Each structure stands twice: as structure tokens, then as C-alpha cells.
């Protein structure tokens, strides 16, 4: 994934997450206020009924069954009356009374008797007052899951003390609240889908000019690199011809700098292929142990010139074939071995090993060189990054490890860096490509 695609993904996530958070917070706030107002309005409606009922009872000498039936019509209230603690005979409802109604009224009276002293009493008139409480299903599992809002009107009438209990089921208001929640949940889901789609296309539009600029820059680098190869080849050819005739001692410098420039151009073209997603990977059946031996052999002379011991360590049994790009893996091994030879002092050791563990290949390059500090381990695969110890080496541009990382990533593998026991650095290459049976 190139930098623009990563930026597109990160910006989309940032934009989408912030907008989603704002939307959810605002929706929850609205629901909280709306549900609170709905409950308040319901309580106001109940209080209005309480005043009406108290006024009616004060004006009537006889409380009829018909009036009580009207109060209970539609199950808006369950009603029970006590006259001097004697239950009012409500024959019609007693015959048709359901178990739920009787249970609720019994629970409500019991709760009222137990908590009456601590309840707040509200004055209706000089003769009457009322108190309210909630029968909560959390405290009593036998009560309906929605609960009941209960009111007890206490009234002095003639020589009697009337207590009227009204239990209002909260099922309707709770269903209304639940319905509203599901409605907003559906709206939020649709809104979030629209927001994330918009965020994706919006950030893509914002990055289009940057992407176009990056493509022009890549095209320029590719064209310039290819154009520079021809004059470099001519310079190298002329320098080698002059060196063969001992024409001028400065020709060695010209040759070395031309080779250095040529390596830089090759590295830049490789990185360009990685950025554009066109890194040429041609997986074939490859003998990893053979690649390791060949790479080790290729650096024997360079290591011997610095009196460095370089050797390969392979298991006794032959490794299975690996499905990978042999040329690219060789390029990676070359990068790591060149670094190891460059930063290992005279008399040091370089060990190259390969193994097949848990259905993946492990290649280790260990040296006894200067090592890498913990702070630098997280940066060494960044492009153009060079540690302080490497800045004096003109043959390193800070691109090799980045190229190796991109190649192994293209193989769906990984690279880890650790310290070599006793000093130095160990790189572990893990190739997750499946082995090929022989």
C-alpha cells in the first residue's frame, strides 16, 4: 500500500470516526432529553387525572361501579378503594378481575403501607392529598417488566377516610420509548453508511491533486533514471578502458563514483516500483539453502579483505522448495550481507542460516558488528534513514533496508531485528510462502 492510499485510508478513518462520534453523542443527548420530556408529560397527564378524580369524589356522595369501570377502561388505571381501611366492593371488576390486576394492587398497597411515612404528600385541597411511587420490576420480579406508576389519594369525607389507589401501567410509554430508540438506531445506521461513503469519496477527492503530483514526480524520476543509465554506462566503459592502459590514476575514482551512482539509480527505480505497486515479483520453486550458499560465497572475497569470517549454517536435511522470487530474495540477502560486512570490524564473524519452522522459512543474518541501538531499530527501515555510525560511509544511501523490507512485504513475509548475543545485530527474515513438496 503506497503513501497516498495509506493517507486516504487514515483520513477516511479520522473523518468518519469524528463524525460518527459527534452523531452518536448528539443522538444520545437528544434521546435523553426526549425521553425525559416524554416521562414528564406522562406524569403531568397523570397529575391532571388525579386532580380531576379527587374533585369528582369530593362532589359525589356515592361512588358508582360505572364510574370506576370508566377509570379502568382501556387498562389506563387499575383502581382500588378503601373506606376506613375496608375495601370498596367493586363487584363488576371483582368478577372479571385478572390475576395481574390483583397482584399489582396487592403489591401497591403493601408498598404504600410500608413506605407511607417516608413518602412526600402533595395537597390537593383542604380535605385531600396524594402521594406517588413506582412499582419497579427490578425490585420485584413478579411485577410486569415495564413497571407501574402508582398514586394514592387520601381524602376525609364526612366521617370516613377514603384511600383511592390508582396503578397506571408504564408499558405504553416504555413501548413508545423503545420504538423511538429503534427508529433512531435505524436512522443512525443509514446516516453512518452515508457518512462513511461520503468520507471515502471526499478524502479521495482531496488527495487527487497530491496523487497526480506524486505520479508526475514518479514519472520524472523513472525517466531521469533511465536516461542517466546510458551516460553512466559510457563513463564506466571509458573509465575501465583508461584504467587498463594506466592512462590516469583519477579514473579509479571516476569508476567508483559511477558505480555508486548506478547503484543509487537502481535503488530508486526499485523503490519507485514499490510505491506504484508494480514491484515485479515472479514466484517460482526456489531452493532457499542454495540461495543462502550462493549469497555467502559471493561475499567471501569482500569479507576476507577485512579478515571477517563469513559462513553458512544449514540443517542436515534439505529444506523444502519455497515459492518465491529467487532474484528478489537474493537481492535482499545481498543488502543484509553488504551491510554486515560494512559494519563489522576486522576479525568479526558473519553467520547466515536458514531453516523451515512451523510451515514458514526463517533466514537469519547475524554479525558481530557495531550493533543498532533500540531507538534506531524502529527507524532503520525508513527511507534515507542512516544511523550516526553509517553517515561517514558514502556507499550507503539509507535505501537498502527499505528496499529489503518492501520486497519481503511483497512476499507476505516480515523482518525482525534483534541484538546478537555478545554484540552485533541479527536480522530475521520470515517467508510465509507455503513450501512446495518435492
Amino acid at each position: 500500500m503506497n503513501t497516498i492510499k495509506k493517507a486516504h485510508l487514515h483520513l477516511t478513518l479520522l473523518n468518519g470516526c469524528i463524525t460518527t462520534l459527534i452523531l452518536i453523542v448528539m443522538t444520545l443527548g437528544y434521546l435523553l432529553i426526549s425521553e425525559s420530556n416524554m416521562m414528564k408529560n406522562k406524569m403531568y397527564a397523570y397529575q391532571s387525572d388525579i386532580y380531576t378524580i379527587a374533585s369528582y369524589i369530593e362532589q359525589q356522595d356515592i361512588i358508582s361501579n360505572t364510574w370506576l369501570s370508566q377509570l379502568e377502561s382501556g387498562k389506563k388505571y387499575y383502581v382500588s378503594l378503601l373506606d376506613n381501611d375496608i375495601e370498596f366492593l367493586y363487584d363488576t371488576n371483582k368478577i372479571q378481575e385478572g390475576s395481574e390486576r390483583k397482584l399489582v394492587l396487592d403489591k401497591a398497597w403493601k408498598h404504600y403501607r410500608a413506605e407511607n411515612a417516608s413518602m412526600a404528600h402533595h395537597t390537593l385541597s383542604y380535605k385531600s392529598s396524594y402521594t406517588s411511587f413506582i412499582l419497579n420490576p427490578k425490585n420485584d420480579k413478579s411485577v410486569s417488566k415495564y413497571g407501574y406508576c402508582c398514586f394514592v389519594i387520601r381524602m376525609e369525607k364526612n366521617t370516613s377516610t377514603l384511600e383511592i389507589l390508582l396503578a397506571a401501567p408504564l408499558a405504553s410509554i416504555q413501548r413508545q420509548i423503545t420504538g423511538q430508540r429503534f427508529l433512531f438506531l435505524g436512522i443512525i445506521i443509514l446516516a453512518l453508511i452515508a457518512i462513511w461513503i461520503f468520507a471515502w469519496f471526499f478524502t479521495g477527492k482531496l488527495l487527487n491533486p497530491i496523487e497526480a503530483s506524486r505520479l508526475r514526480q514518479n514519472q520524472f524520476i523513472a525517466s531521469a533514471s533511465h536516461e542517466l543509465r546510458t551516460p553512466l554506462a559510457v563513463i564506466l566503459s571509458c573509465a575501465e578502458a583508461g584504467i587498463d592502459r594506466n592512462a590516469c590514476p583519477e579514473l579509479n575514482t571516476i569508476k567508483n563514483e559511477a558505480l555508486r551512482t548506478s547503484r543509487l539509480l537502481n535503488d530508486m527505480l526499485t523503490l519507485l516500483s514499490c510505491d506504484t505497486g508494480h514491484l515485479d515479483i515472479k514466484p517460482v520453486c526456489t531452493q532457499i539453502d542454495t540461495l543462502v550458499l550462493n549469497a555467502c560465497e559471493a561475499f567471501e572475497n569482500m569479507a576476507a579483505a577485512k579478515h571477517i569470517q563469513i559462513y553458512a549454517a544449514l540443517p542436515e536435511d534439505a529444506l523444502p522448495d519455497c515459492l518465491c522470487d529467487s532474484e528478489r530474495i537474493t537481492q535482499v540477502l545481498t543488502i543484509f550481507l553488504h551491510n554486515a560486512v560494512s559494519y563489522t570490524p576486522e576479525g568479526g564473524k558473519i553467520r547466515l542460516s536458514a531453516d523451515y519452522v512451523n510451515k514458514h522459512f526463517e533466514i537469519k543474518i547475524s554479525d558481530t558488528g557495531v550493533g543498532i541501538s533500540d531507538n534506531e531499530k524502529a527507524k532503520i527501515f525508513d527511507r534515507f534513514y542512516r544511523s550516526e555510525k553509517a553517515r561517514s560511509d558514502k556507499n550507503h544511501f539509507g535505501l537498502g533496508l527499505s528496499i529489503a523490507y518492501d520486497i519481503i512485504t511483497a512476499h507476505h513475509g516480515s523482518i525482525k531485528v534483534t541484538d546478537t548475543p555478545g554484540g552485533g545485530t541479527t536480522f530475521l527474515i520470515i517467508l510465509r510462502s507455503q513450501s512446495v513438496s518435492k
Side-chain angles (χ1 to χ4, degrees), residues 120-365:
H121 293 263
H122 307 278
T123 302
L124 294 171
S125 67
Y126 71 96
K127 291 182 178 181
S128 60
S129 63
Y130 80 93
T131 187
S132 62
F133 55 92
I134 299 291
L135 274 185
N136 196 332
K138 294 181 181 179
N139 300 328
D140 191 339
K141 300 298 182 182
S142 62
V143 178
S144 170
K145 63 179 180 178
Y146 297 111
Y148 291 83
C149 183
C150 300
F151 301 88
V152 177
I153 303 173
R154 184 180 176 87
M155 181 182 300
E156 300 294 336
K157 189 175 179 63
N158 299 326
T159 59
S160 301
T161 299
L162 291 179
E163 289 179 315
I164 305 98
L165 169 64
L166 298 100
L170 294 175
S172 60
I173 186 66
Q174 291 296 341
R175 290 193 187 100
Q176 188 177 351
I177 290 174
T178 302
Q180 180 177 262
R181 289 177 180 176
F182 278 108
L183 174 63
F184 272 83
L185 178 61
I187 293 173
I188 287 177
I189 291 174
L190 293 176
L192 289 180
I193 293 173
I195 285 171
W196 282 93
I197 293 174
F198 172 78
W200 177 259
F201 286 103
F202 179 71
T203 53
K205 280 286 186 181
L206 288 179
L207 293 172
N208 278 342
I210 301 175
E211 174 68 6
S213 176
R214 187 186 69 85
L215 290 176
R216 288 194 297 270
Q217 180 182 358
N218 289 343
Q219 290 171 358
F220 169 76
I221 293 173
S223 300
S225 299
H226 285 294
E227 291 297 327
L228 286 172
R229 280 185 167 184
T230 301
L232 276 175
V234 174
I235 292 172
L236 283 170
S237 177
C238 293
E240 289 175 353
I243 291 171
D244 291 340
R245 295 196 299 269
N246 295 322
C248 178
E250 284 78 11
L251 289 175
N252 281 318
T253 303
I254 294 175
K255 178 184 176 182
N256 290 334
E257 292 301 315
L259 288 172
R260 181 168 172 267
T261 304
S262 179
R263 287 195 299 271
L264 176 59
L265 288 177
N266 289 333
D267 288 348
M268 291 177 66
L269 287 173
T270 301
L271 290 175
L272 187 62
S273 298
C274 295
D275 281 345
T276 56
H278 297 110
L279 183 62
D280 191 16
I281 300 293
K282 298 177 180 178
V284 294
C285 294
T286 303
Q287 295 178 343
I288 293 294
D289 41 9
T290 302
L291 292 186
V292 168
L293 291 172
N294 291 341
C296 191
E297 183 180 350
F299 279 86
E300 282 183 352
N301 292 334
M302 184 177 177
K306 292 185 64 176
H307 305 288
I308 297 172
Q309 181 184 356
I310 183 170
Y311 62 96
L314 297 171
E316 294 182 0
D317 297 331
L319 297 175
D321 287 351
C322 176
L323 196 61
C324 64
D325 190 323
S326 59
E327 292 185 4
R328 291 296 186 184
I329 299 301
T330 298
Q331 183 181 0
V332 171
L333 295 178
T334 300
I335 291 170
F336 283 118
L337 287 174
H338 189 270
N339 283 349
V341 173
S342 299
Y343 301 124
T344 300
E346 291 188 3
K349 294 181 180 181
I350 298 174
R351 181 177 183 271
L352 183 60
S353 64
D355 203 354
Y356 185 68
V357 182
N358 296 329
K359 297 185 179 180
H360 63 259
F361 295 89
E362 292 185 354
I363 303 174
K364 286 184 181 179
I365 304 96

Side-chain angles (χ1 to χ4, degrees), residues 374-391:
D374 292 336
N375 291 334
E376 292 179 327
K377 283 185 176 70
K379 305 176 184 177
I380 57 174
F381 295 109
D382 295 342
R383 294 180 185 180
F384 298 104
Y385 177 80
R386 290 190 297 172
S387 66
E388 293 296 331
K389 301 169 185 176
R391 295 188 185 279

Side-chain angles (χ1 to χ4, degrees), residues 50-174:
I50 296 302
Y51 278 95
T52 302
I53 292 169
S55 176
Y56 175 84
I57 295 175
E58 286 181 355
Q59 295 174 9
Q60 300 295 323
D61 293 328
I62 299 174
I63 301 176
S64 66
N65 286 350
T66 303
W67 179 74
L68 292 175
S69 298
Q70 291 175 350
L71 281 181
E72 291 202 352
S73 62
K75 292 188 177 180
K76 183 178 181 181
Y77 294 105
Y78 292 146
V79 183
S80 177
L81 284 82
L82 296 180
D83 186 356
N84 290 329
D85 293 331
I86 299 174
E87 187 173 3
F88 185 82
L89 296 179
Y90 184 11
D91 297 334
T92 304
N93 269 13
K94 289 293 181 181
I95 295 171
Q96 301 175 354
E97 182 177 60
S99 59
E100 179 185 0
R101 176 183 182 278
K102 184 177 187 307
L103 176 65
V104 170
L105 292 176
D106 289 344
K107 293 284 184 181
W109 278 124
K110 183 177 180 180
H111 181 84
Y112 172 72
R113 297 303 181 197
E115 305 293 336
N116 183 35
S118 61
M119 290 181 180
H121 293 263
H122 307 278
T123 302
L124 294 171
S125 67
Y126 71 96
K127 291 182 178 181
S128 60
S129 63
Y130 80 93
T131 187
S132 62
F133 55 92
I134 299 291
L135 274 185
N136 196 332
K138 294 181 181 179
N139 300 328
D140 191 339
K141 300 298 182 182
S142 62
V143 178
S144 170
K145 63 179 180 178
Y146 297 111
Y148 291 83
C149 183
C150 300
F151 301 88
V152 177
I153 303 173
R154 184 180 176 87
M155 181 182 300
E156 300 294 336
K157 189 175 179 63
N158 299 326
T159 59
S160 301
T161 299
L162 291 179
E163 289 179 315
I164 305 98
L165 169 64
L166 298 100
L170 294 175
S172 60
I173 186 66
Q174 291 296 341

